[in-house]
Amino acid sequence: MSNTTGKAFDARIFKRLMGFVKNYRTQFLVASVSAILLALLAVARPKLLQYIIDTFFESKDKTGLLNYVLIMAAVLLGEVLVRFVFIFIANKLGYSIIKDMRMKLYKHMLNFKMSYFDTSSVGKLVTRAVTDIEQIANFFGQGFFMIIADLLTMLAVIIMMLFMNWKMALITLTVLPVIVYATKLFQLKMKASFKEIREQAANLNGFVQERVSGMKIVQLFNREKIEYKNFKEINNKHKKAWVNTVMYYSIFFPVVEIITSVTVGLIVWFGGFQIIAEGSNTTAGEVIAFVMMSEMLFRPLRQIADKFNTLQMGMVAGTRVFEVFDTESHIDATGTIDAKGFNGHIQFENVHFSYIENEEVLKGISFKVNPGETVAIVGATGAGKSTIINLINRFYEIDSGIISVDNKSINEYTLESLRANVAVVLQDVFLFSESIYNNIVLNKEVSLDEVQKAAKEIGIHDFIMSLPEGYNYNVKERGVMLSSGQRQLIAFLRAYVSNPSVLILDEATSSIDSYSEQLIQNATDKITQNQTSIIIAHRLTTIKKADTIIVMDKGLIVEQGSHAELLKNKGYYHNLHEMQFKHAEAS
């Protein structure tokens, strides 16, 4: 989607934003009727004031004066009440719409391919889902409806002016095109400025989030001064974007104020001459009413310029949000088979895959895992081991070939049932800022007793109970309150509790202490018995008992067989084994 920066008003984005109003037709109708009533009540005030001055000031009718002052007070009170309803409903409508938009956007993002998140800034996505959508609320509450109300008020004022005295009305309306032209220029400049502000805000959010998440690396490599300098530069760009906006405001509003004051002077001058002239029907009350209406005409115009900026910021934000909405990055979820469980027969047939086009990671690999077997995959970093896990779970689509489970292509299964039957323990364990229990069950219907029973079966119950509050211990953001080994144990229990048909361990013991490794090894031996399991590991000592070991190098399978067979062959696996044990002896 292209950003129409040169347009002050983007009808296509406006139409899409207004499409979200259909669920709130009653609120929209109330806001619209309130805007019409505000316009009518606004012009009633100067007309009443004219009548009071021309009728009761000269006749000195105190009773009549009091009655009409009370009528004017009633009109003012009515205007206050209608304005309250208008502002409340307009803003309520705005926040109701962004609630719907945010839910729809989040649901849309939940189903994106992993490749989308691989190439998208987390900070920018957060900005789209939070800040930009918040700005859309202002589009409705502070922008669109306020502009409609002001335009209706201006229309009512112009009609009333022409009806009362068309000559003085022409004096006022002669100045109007000048202000309208200045307003249009102002809006064009502001849209470009607001686009720059949103861009710089997204860059700032992304930078801060990334550096805060990686603060350990920043401090470990003494990058504090460098990162501060980079932040200063980005922050300065953000400031400059806002300063440009302030400059346009500083020019526009004083110019409009001068034009308004000149117009009032012309009305008083011309009206005064008409009152003095013989045979003229112009009255003092009429001149005062015109001065009042000229203010009512120009003040909304000034406000419209400001509110139009809010409208534009909402549309710029809408453009960015709709870019995410329009992103087609979903796995083709056309599978219809709802698997309640797998026997565990997995087969890769001539599978080719690349994260980046024409840069293959897997170059036509074929292998199979029989039900109940434990298959280990080893190889150097970048050989394609972890990619296999991503493909079994359909986080990415293969370029060609077939991946099947129980003799059916994984594309035939529903995504939900496929992933529900495959449990994965990753090397980099992600834990939410919740209790250990919630991180294990992930809101599934598994009782605490069942979790404790599973923990005892695989031998990690005592470890959990040694923590403060046991299973209710809050691990904080990303599990920072636990060591890497402890996080692995929690992830292992999480996989075990899900009762999977296929268990996958991705480098699950590559960066943990020997005690945790022993716990995981014992648990691995227990839960992989008679269950289809795939183990990816650097430490060859952890896969000696595997039924089959697949050796990969540069996206190809170079060897496969049992531990003993591969050692006997004295090939790639034998060399890996020798290198690891020599390194272990040397250390």
Side-chain angles (χ1 to χ4, degrees):
M1 181 181 293
S2 61
N3 293 327
T4 53
T5 309
K7 295 180 181 179
F9 184 83
D10 193 327
R12 186 160 55 95
I13 296 299
F14 177 78
K15 184 178 179 181
R16 292 187 69 175
L17 287 172
M18 293 304 294
F20 285 89
V21 176
K22 61 184 179 181
N23 294 328
Y24 303 96
R25 289 188 178 93
T26 302
Q27 292 181 32
F28 182 81
L29 181 62
V30 171
S32 300
V33 171
S34 299
I36 295 170
L37 288 175
L38 282 174
L40 297 175
L41 289 169
V43 295
R45 285 189 286 114
K47 187 62 180 174
L48 278 169
L49 183 60
Q50 177 201 354
Y51 186 78
I52 289 170
I53 292 172
D54 291 342
T55 303
F56 302 112
F57 279 23
E58 291 184 9
S59 65
K60 303 187 186 302
D61 182 356
K62 295 180 181 178
T63 303
L65 177 63
L66 178 61
N67 289 337
Y68 270 84
V69 167
L70 290 175
I71 292 173
M72 194 169 185
V75 170
L76 286 170
L77 180 60
E79 188 175 355
V80 168
L81 291 174
V82 172
R83 191 170 294 278
F84 165 76
V85 171
F86 172 71
I87 293 173
F88 177 76
I89 294 297
N91 281 278
K92 182 182 177 182
L93 176 62
Y95 283 105
S96 298
I97 288 171
I98 67 163
K99 179 205 72 176
D100 294 348
M101 287 190 72
R102 191 172 279 138
M103 293 297 294
K104 185 177 179 180
L105 182 67
Y106 187 65
K107 184 178 181 181
H108 187 67
M109 289 167 58
L110 282 174
N111 295 306
F112 278 162
K113 296 178 183 178
M114 287 299 108
S115 57
Y116 179 84
F117 298 103
D118 292 343
T119 57
S120 299
S121 164
V122 174
K124 288 187 178 182
L125 289 177
V126 171
T127 300
R128 301 293 174 268
V130 180
T131 309
D132 284 337
I133 287 188
E134 200 70 30
Q135 192 63 51
I136 291 172
N138 294 332
F139 167 88
F140 289 99
Q142 304 298 324
F144 173 71
F145 282 110
M146 294 296 180
I147 289 174
I148 294 299
D150 287 343
L151 286 174
L152 288 173
T153 299
M154 290 173 64
L155 179 63
V157 167
I158 291 171
I159 292 172
M160 182 61 74
M161 280 182 165
L162 290 170
F163 175 77
M164 289 171 60
N165 188 319
W166 66 270
K167 292 180 180 179
M168 279 199 290
L170 287 179
I171 291 175
T172 308
L173 295 178
T174 302
V175 182
L176 198 59
V178 179
I179 298 180
V180 170
Y181 180 71
T183 303
K184 183 176 178 61
L185 288 178
F186 179 61
Q187 290 160 357
L188 288 169
K189 293 293 183 181
M190 291 305 293
K191 178 160 189 182
S193 291
F194 286 137
K195 180 179 180 295
E196 179 66 15
I197 286 170
R198 295 258 59 82
E199 185 68 34
Q200 294 305 327
N203 290 339
L204 191 61
N205 287 343
F207 182 90
V208 172
Q209 182 160 354
E210 190 173 46
R211 268 54 180 189
V212 170
S213 299
M215 190 58 70
K216 184 181 290 184
I217 299 299
V218 171
Q219 294 183 359
L220 188 64
F221 287 90
N222 295 317
R223 288 186 57 85
E224 291 91 343
K225 291 182 179 179
I226 296 173
E227 295 302 341
Y228 179 77
K229 182 180 178 182
N230 292 338
F231 177 78
K232 184 177 180 180
E233 184 177 340
I234 292 175
N235 198 32
N236 193 47
K237 288 181 180 178
H238 186 254
K239 183 205 75 172
K240 284 181 177 178
W242 274 109
V243 168
N244 285 338
T245 304
V246 173
M247 181 185 68
Y248 295 136
Y249 272 107
S250 302
I251 295 171
F252 176 73
F253 285 103
V255 168
V256 173
E257 196 66 40
I258 291 170
I259 295 173
T260 303
S261 299
V262 169
T263 305
V264 170
L266 288 173
I267 290 171
V268 173
W269 171 77
F270 182 79
F273 269 93
Q274 281 203 316
I275 293 172
I276 296 170
E278 294 183 6
S280 174
N281 295 324
T282 304
T283 63
E286 196 173 50
V287 173
I288 292 173
F290 259 82
V291 169
M292 191 174 175
M293 284 190 290
S294 68
E295 286 289 327
M296 293 172 62
L297 182 64
F298 293 136
R299 188 187 307 114
L301 194 58
R302 293 198 300 270
Q303 292 173 349
I304 284 175
D306 196 24
K307 290 165 187 173
F308 207 95
N309 293 332
T310 302
L311 191 76
Q312 286 181 323
M313 286 189 74
M315 285 197 289
V316 169
T319 301
R320 295 177 178 280
V321 171
F322 288 131
E323 281 177 357
V324 181
F325 271 128
D326 294 339
T327 299
E328 293 298 331
S329 182
H330 297 93
I331 295 293
D332 185 14
T334 56
T336 58
I337 301 174
D338 188 10
K340 303 301 180 185
F342 293 141
N343 292 325
H345 184 277
I346 301 172
Q347 188 161 358
F348 276 56
E349 299 177 59
N350 195 31
V351 173
H352 290 259
F353 173 75
S354 54
Y355 292 104
I356 301 171
E357 192 175 354
N358 299 323
E359 295 183 21
E360 280 195 334
V361 177
L362 299 182
K363 304 172 182 177
I365 66 168
S366 300
F367 69 90
K368 66 179 180 178
V369 183
N370 294 317
E373 276 190 346
T374 297
V375 171
I377 303 176
V378 300
T381 301
K385 307 183 299 297
S386 296
T387 299
I388 290 174
I389 295 172
N390 292 329
L391 298 183
I392 291 175
N393 281 284
R394 288 197 70 195
F395 288 134
Y396 301 87
E397 298 280 23
I398 60 176
D399 298 338
S400 63
I402 299 174
I403 303 174
S404 61
V405 178
D406 292 350
N407 299 316
K408 291 184 177 64
S409 169
I410 58 174
N411 294 354
E412 297 181 40
Y413 296 104
T414 63
L415 275 176
E416 187 177 357
S417 66
L418 173 67
R419 292 172 181 172
N421 283 288
V422 180
V424 181
V425 179
L426 298 172
Q427 179 182 358
D428 183 18
V429 177
F430 186 96
L431 298 179
F432 295 97
S433 180
E434 295 190 43
S435 67
I436 286 178
Y437 170 73
N438 286 337
N439 270 291
I440 292 169
V441 301
L442 294 178
N443 297 323
K444 292 180 181 177
E445 295 182 2
V446 183
S447 68
L448 178 59
D449 289 338
E450 291 175 291
V451 172
Q452 289 177 333
K453 180 182 177 183
K456 289 174 182 177
E457 287 176 359
I458 63 175
I460 67 173
H461 175 72
D462 292 339
F463 143 66
I464 296 175
M465 293 305 296
S466 69
L467 298 170
E469 302 181 72
Y471 288 85
N472 292 319
Y473 181 59
N474 193 314
V475 300
K476 304 301 180 184
E477 188 177 359
R478 302 182 69 91
V480 294
M481 301 304 291
L482 301 177
S483 69
S484 59
Q486 290 172 328
R487 290 196 294 271
Q488 287 284 2
L489 292 171
I490 299 301
F492 203 88
L493 179 58
R494 178 162 64 190
Y496 182 49
V497 164
S498 69
N499 192 27
S501 299
V502 177
L503 176 68
I504 300 176
L505 305 180
D506 182 12
E507 311 284 7
T509 60
S510 64
S511 59
I512 60 177
D513 56 83
S514 57
Y515 173 72
S516 297
E517 181 181 353
Q518 188 59 49
L519 285 176
I520 288 181
Q521 191 59 53
N522 293 338
T524 302
D525 293 342
K526 179 175 179 57
I527 70 173
T528 56
Q529 281 184 328
N530 303 317
Q531 178 173 320
T532 305
S533 305
I534 297 175
I535 303 174
I536 294 175
H538 280 303
R539 298 186 185 183
L540 303 186
T541 53
T542 62
I543 57 169
K544 287 182 179 179
K545 298 178 183 178
D547 297 297
T548 304
I549 298 173
I550 296 173
V551 185
M552 295 189 67
D553 183 41
K554 298 178 181 177
L556 296 168
I557 294 176
V558 292
E559 286 182 306
Q560 52 183 314
S562 68
H563 174 72
E565 289 170 347
L566 292 174
L567 284 180
K568 187 177 179 181
N569 289 343
K570 294 187 183 257
Y572 196 100
Y573 181 81
H574 178 270
N575 294 336
L576 280 177
H577 191 269
E578 289 294 308
M579 287 174 61
Q580 273 200 19
F581 279 89
K582 282 181 181 179
H583 179 72
E585 290 172 5
S587 58

